[in-house]
Amino acid sequence: MIFDGDARQKLLFDDRNFSNSKKYFWALQSLKIFTEYIDGTLRMISQILFSAKDYDGSPEDHETRQKFIDEYRIKFETLRDRIERKRQEVQILRDG
């Protein structure tokens, strides 16, 4: 894309229907919503797993669930960081 002048022009300049502006708005809003859902999941994951009906309260079960939570917390945080970087890229393109 960097070396394709036409493609670069289409990203940088809008048409009279503001097609790019609409796409950037949609992308930014979608990425914001994805981030909010991930943040909500991160806040609730411990409560969900430790209040599940099959949780027996034993140290082994607690440790197993905590490992699961820690593993998925890292995955969700990594995903959230990727989304944030993409949001910044889209914002830079939108702002020109």
Side-chain angles (χ1 to χ4, degrees):
M1 171 143 353
I2 290 174
F3 300 109
D4 183 348
D6 290 335
R8 192 173 55 249
Q9 287 296 99
K10 288 179 183 177
L11 284 175
L12 291 174
F13 299 103
D14 222 337
D15 58 17
R16 65 179 153 169
N17 294 322
F18 298 103
S19 299
N20 284 344
S21 296
K22 291 174 187 175
K23 289 175 191 172
Y24 293 140
F25 176 80
W26 174 86
L28 289 169
Q29 287 301 107
S30 296
L31 294 169
K32 178 184 173 202
I33 290 169
F34 298 156
T35 300
E36 289 171 356
Y37 279 123
I38 290 171
D39 288 340
T41 301
L42 287 169
R43 278 192 305 274
M44 298 299 295
I45 194 167
S46 293
Q47 292 174 3
I48 292 167
L49 288 176
F50 287 118
S51 65
K53 289 181 179 181
D54 65 340
Y55 177 57
D56 63 16
S58 70
E60 295 83 15
D61 193 16
H62 183 86
E63 184 178 336
T64 300
R65 288 172 193 259
Q66 191 58 54
K67 284 181 183 178
F68 178 85
I69 290 167
D70 294 343
E71 178 183 324
Y72 276 87
R73 183 175 302 279
I74 290 168
K75 290 180 181 182
F76 280 124
E77 288 171 348
T78 301
L79 179 59
R80 184 186 58 205
D81 293 345
R82 285 180 57 207
I83 290 171
E84 177 57 26
R85 285 192 303 275
K86 186 56 67 179
R87 189 193 64 75
Q88 290 173 356
E89 288 176 25
V90 172
Q91 195 163 0
I92 287 169
L93 284 171
R94 181 199 66 188
D95 295 345

